[in-house]
Amino acid sequence: MIRGKVRRSQLVAPFGPGAMHVLSDGTSVITGGLDHWFSHGTDRNQEEFRIHEWRLEQHLGVDALYSPPDYRTGSGSAERMNTHLTVPVLRFPTWGFCPRCRLLAKDRLHQEKRPPCREHESSSHKPFLAQVPFVAICERGHLQDFPWLEWTHKAASPRCRGHRLSLRSSGGGTLASQRVSCSCGATRNLEGITSTRDGAGSGPSTFLSEELEPGGLPYLCRGGAPWLGIDREGEPCGSPLRGSLRGAANVYYSLLKSSIFVPETAASTADPKVLAVLQDGVIVQARQMAAVLLDDGDQLPARLLRRAAQGQAFLLDGFSDEEIERGLAALNEVGFVAAEAEEPDAGQDPAPFRVTEYRTLRGAVESEELVVREPHGQYASGAADAFARVRLVEKLRETRVLWGFNRVFAESPYDDGSRKALLRRSPARPGSNWLPAYAVSGEGIYLELDTAALDPWEERPAVLKQAELLTQRFSNLAEQRGLRQRELSPRFILLHTLAHLLINQLTYECGYSSASLRERLYESPGPDGMAGLLIYTAAGDSEGTLGGLVRMGEPGRLEGVLENALAHAAWCSSDPVCIESKGQGPGSCNLAACHGCALLPETACEEYNRFLDRALVVGGLGKSELGFFATN
């Protein structure tokens, strides 16, 4: 069997279903779909891996979130549960070449052992096939073996029979030096297989699709999904195919949704056990059905909920009607609305989902998963003038959920319900719809700007013009890729850039690397809108981190962090080129922001290192009116 080890969190990102990775023995595999992650049996208890996060379950429209299983041998305990649980992987690419004779051969997707070269069966030292380094991908998320036969013979349906293909290199460093040949005499190099070009139709196409059969019809995606057991051809999607190295970054982009855990019992005396049952997926569905029969504002009676739960009403046994109704009231008090789930996408405004977090972080909380307190003492004028509110988050739990993936680009016009469907071969049955997730504990600093000071700054013509320039930059990119348009406000750009500057400074002050820190933005327009940011670390173990980040948020230390961050932002090593830039970085969607001043590792940024401009923070050359902190 194919065997290997991988960290459980990596099975959510970056090696979730549909992602390729290389095992320790050199075998390239692809992680299988969710259909067979948890096998059934009398010694199985999937609930052991349950992660309770009511907000994410509701938002993603799933019944549960589960962490990937760990492998247990069962030694030392005959009654140990969940032993020998594994996550399925399949050998991919299925094509391989012999290191000795260079012949190409195709094996089964479910091949367990390393296949030997058939040309050397009589040899005492049979060489094993090495998997080819090339695959073919499309923007809709499909993946297939590179079409070696079709490419070599320049035909979508080659007539060559009894072919023997070989892959040889002339020793150069380009794709043109890689040549595939057939025993019939057909030969072709791989130059251009990863390139794009203007298609014959209305949209962009690829060199592979347009030139596989010169003068013929485009060679389009066959809908391959090897991680679901569909080796090559599934349901054709009609998208252009492009070649790619199997280890290239554009082969797989995880689509993650994250949430800071907010305890529902923060302002309630309801029994936590009752609340946990009321947030179970099937009970939530029962609450939604029962709510249709009620008038607006009416409290849901426990007897009606039991009736709506039908075969799942046993979950409510053991609780009195008074306990259930008290729990329902507590959920309503904290703003839990049993609304229809909405499919997330990369262009969706995160503000509505984060309102609950925003309101919670502004106060003081003392719970098992979230501890927020006010700083002791007063801040000096620098930080006191800059921030209307500072909170020290001594403990938090972040849950990250994989709800789909993209290929070719990190953002895609197909970021809808079809992304979630890629994780399974068959649609999940009612009550068993789940997604993989993992939770980590950490700490953070919550900072909030004064909206009374933001409003007049946002209305300055120069500030609006600067934000409009970034909006137009992204608009051009969105039009090229078919993405959703976004209106970038000065407030959002300011908060986003300030978070980057502070993270870069905190790496010098508290010892965390920039890859260990993350930003989380809370922004919405208007005087009553959100204007907060959370800088946090959630890279520790189950017990959290050591408190070094929280310490930097205390009075006497935060002032120095802010002062140094703004001072370093005033001059970049690439100035004046950087500060006067009209478009740089990914998609030219940054203004005054480069690797010398404001960029972070992409794991730390919510926006792929885009929409940054330190001129809106500290001002530009001769344009101090642009900077929010230049006049504060």
Side-chain angles (χ1 to χ4, degrees):
M1 296 179 61
I2 300 175
R3 295 182 180 272
K5 296 181 180 180
V6 66
R7 292 175 58 187
R8 297 171 68 190
S9 62
Q10 290 182 323
L11 289 170
V12 176
F15 301 139
M20 288 189 293
H21 50 109
V22 180
L23 302 180
S24 58
D25 65 353
T27 303
S28 174
V29 298
I30 189 167
T31 306
L34 299 179
D35 308 71
H36 303 289
W37 271 38
F38 289 97
S39 59
H40 299 286
T42 57
D43 63 339
R44 298 293 187 247
N45 180 17
Q46 191 172 340
E47 288 300 306
E48 178 184 348
F49 304 102
R50 178 84 178 264
I51 297 176
H52 291 278
E53 177 49 270
W54 60 280
R55 296 171 59 242
L56 278 177
E57 290 173 2
Q58 179 194 16
H59 181 68
L60 296 171
V62 296
D63 301 311
L65 305 175
Y66 292 106
S67 64
D70 58 336
Y71 184 77
R72 306 169 187 174
T73 62
S75 58
S77 175
E79 299 181 357
R80 190 171 184 183
M81 299 291 291
N82 296 322
T83 58
H84 302 287
L85 282 176
T86 59
V87 172
V89 297
L90 300 166
R91 185 185 297 272
F92 191 80
T94 58
W95 280 88
F97 66 93
C98 176
R100 186 180 303 177
C101 65
R102 309 300 295 183
L103 287 180
L104 281 168
K106 185 179 184 343
D107 280 281
R108 298 176 298 111
L109 184 64
H110 297 81
Q111 177 76 27
E112 295 181 355
K113 297 181 179 180
R114 295 178 62 190
C117 178
R118 299 185 182 95
E119 297 297 319
H120 299 86
E121 289 183 343
S122 60
S123 173
S124 58
H125 300 286
K126 299 178 183 179
F128 291 103
L129 295 181
Q131 290 166 283
V132 295
F134 302 103
V135 294
I137 58 179
C138 87
E139 287 191 43
R140 289 185 180 270
H142 297 121
L143 170 71
Q144 68 176 59
D145 279 299
F146 186 82
W148 298 103
L149 290 173
E150 294 85 347
W151 179 261
T152 307
H153 296 91
K154 300 182 180 180
S157 300
R159 298 179 180 178
C160 178
R161 296 293 182 266
H163 45 259
R164 294 175 62 189
L165 297 178
S166 62
L167 179 64
R168 301 181 184 277
S169 174
S170 62
T174 65
L175 290 175
S177 66
Q178 303 291 321
R179 179 169 293 273
V180 57
S181 304
C182 181
S183 55
C184 70
T187 182
R188 195 177 190 183
N189 65 40
L190 303 183
E191 183 177 12
I193 62 171
T194 63
S195 305
T196 60
R197 61 177 300 176
D198 295 332
S202 58
S205 186
T206 64
F207 186 88
L208 176 60
S209 285
E210 296 294 331
E211 296 297 328
L212 180 136
E213 185 178 8
L217 295 175
Y219 183 80
L220 301 177
C221 177
R222 267 55 174 170
W227 67 97
L228 301 178
I230 304 172
D231 186 2
R232 175 172 174 178
E233 296 189 2
E235 182 178 348
C237 73
S239 298
L241 271 175
R242 71 173 68 196
S244 175
L245 288 169
R246 73 186 190 206
N250 67 345
V251 172
Y252 190 86
Y253 293 100
S254 303
L255 291 176
L256 300 176
K257 190 72 177 179
S258 68
S259 173
I260 304 298
F261 181 79
V262 175
E264 301 89 339
T265 57
S268 170
T269 57
D271 187 344
K273 295 181 181 179
V274 176
L275 292 172
V277 172
L278 293 176
Q279 294 161 47
D280 188 272
V282 280
I283 300 300
V284 169
Q285 294 177 5
R287 290 168 54 195
Q288 293 172 347
M289 291 187 295
V292 176
L293 305 176
L294 301 175
D295 295 329
D296 291 341
D298 284 359
Q299 171 70 34
L300 176 62
R303 56 179 177 78
L304 182 58
L305 177 60
R306 294 182 193 272
R307 190 181 311 156
Q310 299 180 353
Q312 303 298 323
F314 69 90
L315 296 173
L316 301 172
D317 292 346
F319 303 115
S320 66
D321 288 354
E322 292 76 11
E323 289 175 320
I324 294 174
E325 291 173 358
R326 193 182 305 123
L328 291 170
L331 294 178
N332 291 332
E333 286 176 8
V334 297
F336 181 89
V337 180
E340 293 185 2
E342 53 179 323
E343 295 291 348
D345 62 64
Q348 191 179 65
D349 183 6
F353 178 74
R354 294 188 178 179
V355 168
T356 304
E357 293 178 19
Y358 169 75
R359 293 173 178 170
T360 304
L361 293 174
R362 301 182 83 206
V365 180
E366 186 75 30
S367 70
E368 184 178 353
E369 303 288 356
L370 181 66
V371 177
V372 183
R373 68 172 176 85
E374 295 185 20
H376 300 303
Q378 299 294 322
Y379 291 97
S381 58
D385 296 339
F387 304 118
R389 182 177 278 103
V390 178
R391 293 292 182 267
L392 304 179
V393 186
E394 295 185 342
K395 185 176 183 179
L396 60 82
R397 191 193 79 183
E398 183 191 26
T399 303
R400 301 168 191 162
V401 182
L402 176 74
W403 62 271
F405 58 85
N406 284 327
R407 303 196 194 275
V408 182
F409 297 112
E411 292 176 300
S412 167
Y414 311 107
D415 289 338
D416 52 21
S418 65
R419 302 294 91 180
K420 190 191 296 184
L422 290 172
L423 300 177
R424 286 182 171 85
R425 183 163 185 168
S426 303
R429 293 173 297 176
S432 61
N433 187 11
W434 64 275
L435 289 174
Y438 71 98
V440 289
S441 298
E443 57 177 313
I445 306 172
Y446 172 78
L447 306 169
E448 185 177 314
L449 300 180
D450 187 359
T451 55
L454 274 175
D455 288 341
W457 174 79
E458 290 177 302
E459 296 174 358
R460 296 176 187 174
V463 172
L464 291 172
K465 183 179 179 180
Q466 194 84 345
E468 178 60 29
L469 181 58
L470 265 186
T471 299
Q472 186 58 48
R473 288 291 182 185
F474 180 74
S475 177
N476 297 337
L477 179 66
E479 186 175 350
Q480 294 173 9
R481 298 185 183 175
L483 304 177
R484 180 181 300 178
Q485 298 287 345
R486 292 179 61 177
E487 185 71 28
L488 302 172
S489 67
R491 180 181 302 192
F492 171 79
I493 300 170
L494 170 65
L495 285 169
H496 187 31
T497 310
L498 178 61
H500 277 233
L501 297 176
L502 290 173
I503 288 176
N504 276 330
Q505 185 59 37
L506 283 167
T507 61
Y508 298 104
E509 305 280 353
C510 67
Y512 285 112
S513 69
S514 55
S516 298
L517 301 180
R518 294 172 181 260
E519 65 172 357
R520 197 167 182 86
L521 306 178
Y522 302 91
E523 181 270 336
S524 59
D528 297 325
M530 299 185 292
L533 62 94
L534 174 67
I535 297 174
Y536 68 102
T537 175
D541 60 15
S542 60
E543 298 300 323
T545 47
L546 300 177
L549 183 59
V550 166
R551 189 182 182 196
M552 298 311 302
E554 294 281 5
R557 291 189 173 89
L558 181 62
E559 297 91 338
V561 173
L562 176 64
E563 181 182 355
N564 292 334
L566 297 179
H568 291 160
W571 185 258
C572 170
S573 59
S574 297
D575 280 343
V577 175
C578 178
I579 195 66
E580 294 180 346
S581 172
K582 299 302 180 183
Q584 60 178 321
S588 296
C589 289
N590 288 330
L591 296 179
C594 69
H595 284 286
C597 55
L599 298 191
L600 293 174
E602 287 197 3
T603 55
C605 178
E606 292 191 311
E607 298 288 351
Y608 307 105
N609 267 329
R610 300 175 309 186
F611 316 137
L612 299 166
D613 181 19
R614 58 191 171 88
L616 290 182
V617 180
V618 296
L621 291 178
K623 298 179 180 179
S624 60
E625 71 276 6
L626 287 177
F628 176 77
F629 287 93
T631 56
N632 281 275

